[in-house]
Amino acid sequence: TVNPRPVNLTGSRVYDGTTAVAAGIFTLDNLVAGETLALTGSGSVGSKDVFAGAQTVTAETLALVDGTGLATNYAFAGGTQTATITPKPITVAATGSNKVYDGNVNDPVTLASSGIVAGDTVSFTNGSATFADKNVGTGKVVTVTGITASGGDAGNYSLAGTTAGTTADITPKAITVA
């Protein structure tokens, strides 16, 4: 009896909020020297999250296709099939808040990022957001530093940077002279 040779699959893809893994992410291993096969279809892993590490793949519609070797000579059974989900890179943008002169350089900016998967819980905070000086002006540069992500899904993302820049206005403070 000649049994099919077990095939190993390994692959990784960027977080997308699903457990689906497409054939194109995988590398086939444990083939007879000089033989190649192709892979079609898709499978799934148990968790959508990055923290899960290398996860066992459920083959679903994954199928081996002839290359220089015959697909019928190989099987998933007996091999290892794993996929890893990697963090999705995101950039956080700051929007400055105009304010009335108050004698300090702090600005209560708003932080947001595009690219967060719908339904994910991720929020952003900053260590500081400051104007270059406390004086009245229009379109003043605001430097934002110490940006961090938090929330139940924050671990599925990687920040492209922890600083951002924006602009905002400081308007004169109204006073009453008696």
Side-chain angles (χ1 to χ4, degrees):
T1 302
V2 178
N3 294 316
R5 186 178 182 106
V7 172
N8 299 323
L9 301 176
T10 55
S12 67
R13 69 156 175 80
V14 173
Y15 174 79
D16 67 3
T18 71
T19 59
V21 288
I25 72 163
F26 292 103
T27 301
L28 299 170
D29 190 24
N30 198 35
L31 302 178
V32 171
E35 290 190 0
T36 61
L37 295 176
L39 188 65
T40 62
S42 64
S44 65
V45 291
S47 174
K48 68 179 178 77
D49 296 314
V50 170
F51 71 81
Q55 303 180 63
T56 301
V57 173
T58 301
E60 295 178 5
T61 62
L62 286 173
L64 297 169
V65 179
D66 290 348
T68 59
L70 295 174
T72 55
N73 289 336
Y74 295 90
F76 294 133
T80 59
Q81 294 84 39
T82 61
T84 303
I85 310 297
T86 61
K88 181 177 184 179
I90 55 171
T91 301
V92 176
T95 303
S97 297
N98 297 335
K99 71 175 193 170
V100 175
Y101 174 80
D102 62 4
N104 72 58
V105 296
N106 298 326
D107 186 42
V109 297
T110 302
L111 300 175
S113 177
S114 59
I116 301 297
V117 173
D120 276 5
T121 304
V122 181
S123 59
F124 303 98
T125 55
N126 60 280
S128 70
T130 57
F131 289 97
D133 62 56
K134 65 181 182 174
N135 301 319
V136 170
T138 303
K140 295 179 65 103
V141 173
V142 178
T143 303
V144 183
T145 60
I147 298 170
T148 59
S150 60
D153 297 300
N156 293 318
Y157 299 90
S158 64
L159 295 176
T162 59
T163 61
T166 187
T167 59
D169 302 338
I170 299 177
T171 57
K173 181 175 182 170
I175 58 171
T176 304
V177 177

